Each structure stands twice: as C-alpha cells, then as structure tokens.
C-alpha cells in the first residue's frame, strides 16, 4: 500500500509571486481571473521532497555547490532504471538552470543564424521564442506527419529537430517505432536532435499500454541531446534546475564549458539538487497518486464536454495535465471566446493561437 496523499486541500497561491495566479494580468490584461494557464500545478510537492528540503534548510549553510556528485547521478540512474527500464550512462549527464536554457545553449552550439530548426506543430511557445529569438528559422510539421517531417529534415540548412516527448500541448506519447524512425531520418540527413522530455513522468495509464521511451534508447550515431527535469512532475519549477544527456563527448565538454564559463553557472541551486534526489529516490508513490488524481480531472472534463458538446469528440491526452481541446467544430472565433471567458466568466485559459493553432484552447487541469 502506498502512502496516503491529499490533493483536495486548496493551497492559496495568491500573494506568493505566482505566475499562474499573481501574474494573470500580464497575459490577459485583467486581475482576479480564475487561471487554468501556465504549466504548473496547484498541489504542494511530495511530502518526501518537502522533508528533504526542510532538512537541507536546517543545515543552514548554502555555499557553492556541485551537481557532479554520486547522490545526484545515482538518483537519476535509479529513476530511469525503475521508471523506464532504461540503463543510462551517467557520464553523459549535464546540468543547466532550466530546460529552455539548455535548449538555447544547444541551439547556439549546433546552429547558426538563419538555420532551420524543425518542430512539431502545434508548438510549445517556449520553443518558438527560443528558436526565433536566436535568429533561427522555425519550421513546423504537423504532429504525426512523417512525410512532412522528412521533407523538412532533408532541407540542406535544416540543422536541428527539437522534439517534445511527450508532446506539449497535445499530450501525444511517441511510440518506440515512431521515435526509431525519427532517429533514422535525423541521422540520414545529418540533423541533430534535442529531445525535451520534461513531461515524460506524466504518461497516463489508460489501459493502452503506452510508455515513455527515452531518446537514449533510440539515439543512433547522430548528434543528440535529451533535456529534462523532475520539476514538472513533482511541481517545483521555482527551485530551478534541469539536467540532460549529451551523446558526443566533445559536445558535452563544450556544453559544460559554456555553462560554467560563458554563462557563469558553475554552481547549481542546492535546493533543486535536494528536491531531485528526494523525488527520484522516494517520490514514486506520490507521483503515481497525483497522476491518478489528474487523470480523474481529465475524465471530468471529457464527461462535461461530451455532455455539452458531443460534436467535439474530445478525449483526454495520453500524457500531462494539459487538456488540448479543438473548438473549431463550434465555429467560435478565438478572440470572441477569450473576451467572453475573461470579461463575463472571469476565467483565464490559454488560446490555441499561442501555440500556432487558432481555434483550440489549452486548459490546465492540475
């Protein structure tokens, strides 16, 4: 029997500098809305993580810290072995303050201004901002369209595929065969792969047998990196901190050099290391419980939408706590819908145009 966990208790996040609640006016122009927006949850993190953080706080000294130590490395190896049945090479590990900071650094290493960077559409807006902000050309291919993917990868100036696995915002879980075909295409055309797997721990057990397959299992001889963090699943993004794996030793050395010297990030946030170790060593039961709870929320959304708008045919995502809902069958203009949601219903929900898909909404049920 797993430990009992409580997810029905309301945690008031207002007045805590919280982007979801306190920063809603920055995106929607109005304060006081009920937000279902940014990709974090309103649940307190696992008690096991909180206990480890309290113990570290009680130590009282917060000097410069190293992530290159066995407690951190072995906790990650334990997680991949027990969660994904995957043996990882901890010698391939790298560290960064966030997944997006790792992405930016890798793009600067592997592309030049004007180069093509391929993504699946709809696309997480953080990818779009990172790619275009560096002066690279974002090239989108629809999720699941392998012919379009090959066309874009075959272009001579396509240098990187940024893969979101599982996919945000759709919640798609890529199969092992799909990932293997993608790896083969990338290798054939000399395109590096950056696989963002921050949503991996939230694949739902819906009876279909879907599992997350880490990129390390399919990566061939081509250039690649897997970037991720425990912060999404265990809900501690404010602690900062992410890690990754880079296949090529020279690339790995260059990445670490850039982080430690050019970016001045030699010392990681010690509380992030503490949280990751506790989560990966002791947090599995909590994660299973919170994922089950979120699955119940998604089922509730499906039930209500099915009763009110059966023509939508909406089903819960394969992974995550973000409901990606196609409202186009209703014939509602996104701008009109957003105005009604904000002004009349006093609710903040991300419109699909943020991800390049007008007519959709992304509803956070966490």
């Amino acid at each position: 029997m797993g430990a009992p966990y409580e997810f029905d208790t309301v945690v008031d996040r207002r007045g805590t500098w919280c982007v979801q609640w306190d920063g809603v006016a920055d995106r929607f122009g109005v304060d006081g809305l009920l937000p279902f927006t940014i990709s974090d949850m309103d649940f307190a993190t696992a008690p096991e993580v909180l206990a480890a953080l309290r113990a570290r706080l009680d130590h009282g000294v917060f000097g410069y810290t190293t992530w290159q130590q066995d407690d951190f490395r072995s906790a990650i190896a334990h997680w991949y072995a027990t969660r994904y049945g995957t043996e990882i090479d901890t010698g391939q590990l790298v560290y960064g303050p966030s997944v997006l900071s790792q992405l930016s650094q890798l793009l600067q290493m592997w592309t030049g201004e004007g180069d093509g960077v391929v993504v699946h559409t709809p696309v997480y807006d953080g990818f779009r901002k990172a790619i275009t902000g560096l002066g690279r050309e974002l090239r989108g291919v629809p999720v699941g369209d392998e012919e379009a993917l090959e066309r874009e990868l075959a272009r001579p100036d396509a240098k990187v595929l940024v893969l979101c696995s599982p996919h945000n915002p759709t919640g798609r879980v890529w199969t092992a065969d799909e990932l293997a075909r993608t790896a083969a295409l990338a290798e054939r055309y000399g395109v590096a792969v950056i696989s963002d797997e921050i949503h991996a721990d939230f694949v739902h057990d819906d009876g279909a047998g879907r599992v997350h397959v880490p990129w390390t299992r399919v990566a061939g001889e081509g250039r690649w990196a897997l970037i991720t963090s425990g912060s999404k699943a265990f809900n501690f993004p404010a602690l900062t901190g992410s890690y990754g794996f880079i296949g090529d030793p020279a690339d790995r050395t260059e990445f670490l050099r850039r982080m430690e010297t050019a970016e001045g990030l030699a010392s990681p946030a010690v509380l992030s290391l503490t949280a990751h170790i506790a989560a990966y060593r002791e947090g599995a039961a909590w994660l299973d419980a919170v994922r089950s709870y979120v699955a119940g929320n998604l089922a509730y959304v499906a039930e209500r939408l099915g009763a009110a708008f059966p023509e939508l045919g909406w089903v819960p995502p394969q992974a995550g706590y973000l409901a990606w809902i196609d409202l186009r069958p209703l014939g509602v203009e996104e701008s009109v819908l957003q105005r009604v949601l904000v002004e009349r219903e006093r609710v903040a929900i991300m419109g699909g145009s943020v991800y390049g898909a007008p007519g959709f909404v992304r509803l956070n049920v966490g």
Side-chain angles (χ1 to χ4, degrees):
M1 293 291 290
Y5 298 105
E6 173 57 58
F7 302 112
D8 288 326
T9 300
V10 176
V11 179
D12 188 357
R13 300 182 68 191
R14 291 169 294 188
T16 63
W17 318 316
C18 165
V19 172
Q20 176 122 246
W21 289 84
D22 296 330
V24 69
D26 295 339
R27 188 182 289 270
F28 293 87
V30 181
D31 275 323
L33 304 180
L34 182 64
F36 300 90
T37 54
I38 196 168
S39 180
D40 66 15
M41 297 185 286
D42 288 333
F43 311 122
T45 191
E48 296 83 358
V49 172
L50 289 173
L53 291 172
R54 290 187 184 105
R56 186 70 201 204
L57 289 172
D58 287 345
H59 180 262
V61 179
F62 307 103
Y64 293 115
T65 306
T66 178
W67 62 269
Q68 299 194 56
Q69 33 83 9
D70 187 61
D71 287 343
F72 183 61
R73 292 177 184 271
S74 65
I76 294 172
H78 170 78
W79 189 250
Y80 275 76
T82 57
R83 210 73 186 173
Y84 304 120
T86 298
E87 183 178 346
I88 61 166
D89 179 359
T90 58
Q92 295 178 333
L93 270 171
V94 296
Y95 189 89
S98 72
V99 165
L100 285 178
S101 72
Q102 289 193 74
L103 173 64
S104 176
Q105 203 63 246
L106 290 163
L107 289 174
Q108 292 174 69
M109 286 172 52
W110 292 346
T111 67
E113 192 163 345
D115 283 341
V117 178
V118 181
V119 299
H120 287 96
T121 55
V123 60
Y124 166 49
D125 58 319
F127 288 177
R128 174 177 50 77
K129 292 173 183 175
I131 293 165
T132 60
L134 289 170
R136 279 53 169 170
E137 184 176 310
L138 185 148
R139 296 175 182 165
V141 298
V143 168
D145 189 337
E146 294 190 16
E147 289 185 5
L149 178 62
E150 181 166 10
R151 259 195 324 270
E152 289 299 335
L153 295 179
R155 293 175 64 174
D157 63 345
K159 298 297 175 62
V160 167
L161 166 66
V162 178
L163 179 70
C164 200
S165 178
H167 185 261
N168 175 18
T170 68
R172 167 77 169 268
V173 176
W174 306 102
T175 67
D177 286 345
E178 287 174 325
L179 292 172
R181 289 195 297 271
T182 298
L185 286 174
E187 189 171 336
R188 180 185 310 165
Y189 296 111
V191 175
V193 176
I194 304 171
S195 183
D196 174 354
E197 304 188 8
I198 199 169
H199 293 274
D201 293 327
F202 243 91
V203 174
H204 294 295
D205 182 9
D206 59 2
R210 296 185 189 89
V211 294
H212 172 71
V213 177
W215 187 259
T216 56
R217 294 248 296 269
V218 300
E221 297 301 317
R223 182 175 254 176
W224 63 270
L226 185 166
I227 55 179
T228 191
S229 173
S231 64
K232 187 70 64 178
F234 288 92
N235 207 38
F236 51 74
L239 297 180
T240 74
S242 68
Y243 63 92
F245 308 91
I246 298 178
D248 181 75
D251 284 336
R252 195 160 58 245
T253 298
E254 174 62 10
F255 178 91
L256 292 174
R257 185 196 70 79
R258 286 168 173 256
M259 280 293 182
E260 293 176 3
T261 58
E263 302 297 331
L265 295 171
S267 178
V270 67
L271 294 184
S272 175
L273 298 180
T274 301
H276 273 91
I277 293 166
Y280 286 171
R281 286 290 185 185
E282 305 173 60
W286 180 89
L287 178 61
D288 290 339
V290 77
R291 198 178 63 239
S292 176
Y293 188 94
V294 164
N297 288 351
L298 289 166
Y300 177 76
V301 172
E303 178 186 341
R304 293 297 299 271
L305 280 178
F309 306 104
E311 62 269 38
L312 296 182
W314 186 80
V315 295
Q318 297 168 356
Y321 48 80
L322 304 170
W324 181 246
I325 306 171
D326 184 358
L327 298 179
R328 292 175 299 176
L330 302 182
V332 179
E333 286 289 333
E334 183 175 303
S335 59
V336 175
L337 174 63
Q338 285 294 325
R339 190 161 56 249
V340 170
L341 289 173
V342 171
E343 295 178 3
R344 190 178 76 192
E345 304 299 333
R346 308 292 295 172
V347 169
I349 302 174
M350 302 294 272
S353 60
V354 173
Y355 314 98
F360 288 73
V361 292
R362 195 191 79 166
L363 173 70
N364 182 349
V365 306

